[in-house]
Amino acid sequence: MDGPVEEQIAAWREFVTARAVMAGDAVELEAHLRDQIDGLEASGLSGDEAFLVAVKRMGRLDELSREFAREHSDRLWKQLVVGGATATERPSTGLALAVALAVGAGLAAQLPRVFGLTYSTAPEVFVSNLPVLVLPFLAAFLMVRRSARIGTILAVAVPFVAAALILNLYPFATDGATFVLASVHAAVALWIVVGIAYVNGDWRSDRARMDFIRFTGEWFVYFVLLGLGGGVLIALTVGLFSAIGMDVTRFVEEWMLPCGIGGAVVIAGWLVEAKQSVIENIAPVLTKVFTPLFTILLLALAVAGLIQGNLVDSDRDLLILFDVTLIVVLALLLYSLSAREPAAAPGWFDRLQLVMVVAALVIDVLLLIAMIGRIGTYGASPNKLASLGLNLILLVNLAGAAWLQFGFVRGRVAYGRLERWQTSYVPVYLVWAVVVVVVFPPLFGFV
C-alpha cells in the first residue's frame, strides 16, 4: 500500500487503540481492514477510495470503526480531494469561504470606528474587543464546514454576545485592573467557546476535546508563521514608503495590523483544516525540541526560587512572567499529549515530561507562597486574587498530571486516563475565566 493509505491506517489504529482496545484486538481489526482495502483495490478503486469504503464497511462490524468514520469523514474526503482529483472534479476545500470570512474578520476589527472611535484615541477599545469581533468568523468557518446544528450555533453565539455586552457596558474605570483582567480572560473563554464550534457541540467527548487541543496547537503554529510573514510585509511597507518620503506608520498601525490579525485568525484555521498532514508531521518534532529546553528552564527557575527563598518582595512583573511560563509549559504538555501515539510504551520522553511537570509544580508552589505573602503584606487586589486563583487551578492540574504521569511511566496507569484528566480539566479554565470576566469587575467596584 502507498504512503498516504498507510498514514490513514496509522490514524485509524491510533484512534481505536486510544479507546482502550487491547493490542491483540487492534491487530486483528487492522488485518481485517487491510484485507478489505486489498479487495477493493483489486476491484479498481484507488488506495484512498478503498480506505474510505473499507472503514465504512468496518463500521458495520465494529463500533469504534463506525465512530472513526463518523468523526473523520470530513478529513477523509479532504484527503481524497487533495490526493489528486482534477481541477474540474475537485470539490470545495473551504478556501473561498475562509477568504470571505477572513475579509469579514479584518473589517470587523475596525467596527469601533462606526462609533466614532479611532485606534489613536481609544486603543483599549480596539484591543479588548478584538477577540469578540474576530473569533466569531473563525467559529462561523468551522460551523459551516461541519453543518452545525442550531443548538451548537446558539451555544457559540450567546457567549460572544454576552462578552461584547460586558466589555462595553460595564462601567470600568479608565485603565482599571478589572478591565484588563476581563479583556484577557474574555479572550481565553471565547477561544474555548470556539472549541464548541470545532467539535460541533460534542464537548462532552474526551476525544473531541483532545482534537480541539491539537487544533489549538496547530492553529498557533500557523498563526505565528503568518505573523512572521506579516511582520516582514509591514517592515517592507514602512521601509519602501519611507524611502520615497511617505510616512505610512499610522496606516500600518490603525488599518494594516488589526485587519491583518483578523484575517490571519481565520486563515490559520483554514490551513489547519486543509493542510493537516503537514503540521501533524511537524508537531512531534516541535514537542521533542522544546520540551527538554523548557524542562531545563523550569529546573533553573526552581533552583533560583529556592535559593532566593522569599519571593514576596519580588517585582510583580517577575511573578507575572513566572505565571506566563507555567501556562506555556502547560500548553506544551497538552500539545505533546495530543501528538503522542497512545499505544506506544512509556519511554525517555515521557520520563522527561514527568520531570518538567514536577519542576512546574515546585515553581507553582513557590508562586502560591509568594502570592499569599503579598496579599497578607499589601492586601488583596483584583490582580492578586486572579493570579492566586489561576495558580490554585494550575496546582491541581499539575499535581494530577504528575501523579498520573508517574503511574504511566511505571506501567500502572493507562495512557487514556492521563489524556482524560487533561481534557476533562479544560472546562475548569473556562469557568474560572468566566468568573473573572463577570464577577470580578462588580466585586471590586470596576476599579
Side-chain angles (χ1 to χ4, degrees), residues 81-102:
V81 169
V82 176
T86 63
T88 55
E89 297 171 337
R90 187 172 300 163
S92 170
T93 61
L95 177 58
L97 174 65
V99 171
L101 290 172

Side-chain angles (χ1 to χ4, degrees), residues 210 283-284 286-296 298-299 328-341 344-361 397-409 415 418-419 422:
M210 183 53 78
L286 292 177
T287 57
K288 290 288 193 304
V289 169
F290 285 103
T291 295
L293 297 177
F294 271 93
T295 302
I296 294 171
L298 289 176
L299 289 172
V328 172
V329 167
L330 180 63
L332 182 62
L333 176 65
L334 290 173
Y335 194 41
S336 300
L337 292 175
S338 73
R340 190 185 188 283
E341 170 61 55
W348 68 269
F349 189 72
D350 300 294
R351 295 178 178 83
L352 182 64
Q353 280 185 320
L354 176 60
V355 174
M356 182 178 72
V357 172
V358 171
L361 199 55
N397 192 350
L398 292 170
W403 177 252
L404 293 173
Q405 187 83 14
F406 180 64
F408 176 66
V409 298
Y415 177 77
L418 175 60
E419 196 177 52
Q422 294 295 1

